[in-house]
Amino acid sequence: MTGSEHRGETLDSRSGRPRMWARWLIPSGAAVAIGIVVALTASISDDRPAGYRAQVSVTASDDSPRYLLTTEVPEQAGAGQQVAIREVATGRVIQTTRFPAGVTEFTDLAATGDGHTFFLTASVHDRYWQIFRLHLNGPRLGGKGPAAIPEAVRYGRVKNPVGLAVTQDGASVAFGVNHMEVSGKYGETPGEIDVLNLATGRRQVWSTKVWGQLGDLSLSDNGMRLAFNWSSGSDGGGDGVRILDTTKPGELLQSARLVVPSTGAFSQPDHPMISPDGATLTIVAAQRDQQKLWSRLIEVATATGRQLRVLYQEPNLGGFGQGGYPFDAICRSGRYVLIVDARRTLQIDTTTGRTVRLPYPDANPDQVAC
């Protein structure tokens, strides 16, 4: 989620600033091969209850994402947002990102399939919103070059987008616009999802007159299927994860099929991340199993919404009030889902279910793109 939408906000114990539990960008794109297998000896002990760590190994996969783009709160008190490129295998910051003129904070991140091109959204001088593109060049990596500066995308100016997704080739971006962000007044103009071709400026729009909130956008590799969260804020009817066929025009909620309702087997499903081929979704949700409450990463079929497997789980210590927001930041790159917090990066292979624990030191991640 982005902009003024801060769902599940709590105060961070170290910095005193809000922690955003669900403002995460859902990138698309295939994993980038890094050419070597990285063997790590990181400890897998931490402060959470035992019982969920048995499946965690400490050897990284050679075809997993190589870099993370992150927004985070550094350890030092009073520090502002840091935007950094981190190496997935070590958690090491290899490059930081400078803020363009008029920008003090980035609100959403997305990654393409090449592992080196990222997109960001931000408010400029608090007057309008802009989509930026950041391309990592080899000579700049390793902390030896100057900080990278995101470039403004020519056709990207919008009014307060919520959520950001990009096609694998980086040719098109998708973003949502909520009612209040459109006009400043609830209900006067429709919420919408836009898909923007960056080369031509062609913009497709799906709008709805139903009041609600959009968020957590995710595109399949070919851009034909777009998953997103919808919440009406009323009786919950029609709320949950929906999938839009971007090849067909129409009214947003009528065109976007409800795949995972927010009631029933899933408590507040969150972070829909569509697979490269669009056949499955990974979502975050709370589920009870034999009187124990779990925060889970679950795979479901997009055709039926049927739960296929639990890819990862941790005890949910906050009750159902936490809903589907147990992890600091989360992203997907091809077959891999990465869960990131100030203690670790969990790299989950959606093909095998194998989980790898990697370091993520010295900061509280707010958003990640991979």
Side-chain angles (χ1 to χ4, degrees), residues 138-152:
R140 291 182 176 178
L141 299 180
K144 298 180 180 180
I149 304 178
E151 59 174 345

Side-chain angles (χ1 to χ4, degrees), residues 23-46:
R23 268 179 34 186
W24 308 309
L25 194 304
I26 309 305
S28 62
V32 179
I34 67 174
I36 59 173
V37 175
V38 182
L40 300 176
T41 58
S43 167
I44 62 171
S45 63
D46 54 38

Side-chain angles (χ1 to χ4, degrees), residues 29 41 98 149 154 162 165 183 198 210 246 248 253 268 277:
T41 58
R98 290 175 58 187
I149 304 178
R154 180 178 180 184
V162 287
S183 66
L198 297 175
V210 178
T246 62
K248 300 177 181 178
L253 296 184
Q268 298 177 357
D277 62 4

Side-chain angles (χ1 to χ4, degrees), residues 177-328:
V177 181
N178 279 330
H179 288 79
M180 191 170 184
E181 278 73 17
V182 175
S183 66
K185 296 181 180 180
Y186 286 107
E188 286 199 359
T189 52
E192 64 187 44
I193 285 179
D194 293 22
V195 175
L196 177 68
N197 185 299
L198 297 175
T200 66
R202 180 173 180 264
R203 191 160 162 177
Q204 297 172 271
V205 177
W206 293 263
S207 62
T208 178
K209 294 182 179 179
V210 178
W211 187 89
Q213 290 185 318
L214 294 159
D216 298 336
L217 275 61
S218 177
L219 278 165
S220 60
D221 275 3
N222 60 13
M224 294 176 63
R225 288 187 176 183
L226 188 152
F228 65 95
N229 247 355
W230 171 261
S231 175
S232 65
S234 55
D235 59 2
D239 291 2
V241 177
R242 291 177 172 267
I243 292 183
L244 176 70
D245 183 346
T246 62
T247 66
K248 300 177 181 178
E251 200 274 344
L252 176 61
L253 296 184
Q254 294 176 7
S255 302
R257 182 168 48 91
L258 181 63
V259 177
V260 183
S262 59
T263 57
F266 306 98
S267 173
Q268 298 177 357
D270 190 51
H271 283 324
M273 293 174 284
I274 199 163
S275 62
D277 62 4
T280 62
L281 280 169
T282 49
I283 62 170
V284 177
Q287 286 188 324
R288 189 173 296 280
D289 182 11
Q290 298 178 346
Q291 304 306 310
K292 192 168 187 178
L293 186 62
W294 297 93
S295 297
R296 286 175 167 166
L297 180 69
I298 299 169
E299 183 179 72
V300 301
T302 55
T304 63
R306 181 172 64 89
Q307 179 172 323
L308 302 176
R309 5 169 226 172
V310 175
L311 291 167
Y312 180 76
Q313 65 181 19
E314 291 186 4
N316 186 312
L317 305 180
F320 271 102
Q322 287 281 355
Y325 319 138
F327 307 122
D328 284 20

Side-chain angles (χ1 to χ4, degrees), residues 37-43 57-60 88-91 345 356-359:
V37 175
V38 182
L40 300 176
T41 58
S43 167
S57 65
V58 291
T59 304
V88 172
T90 65
T345 294
V356 173
R357 186 182 189 275
L358 305 168

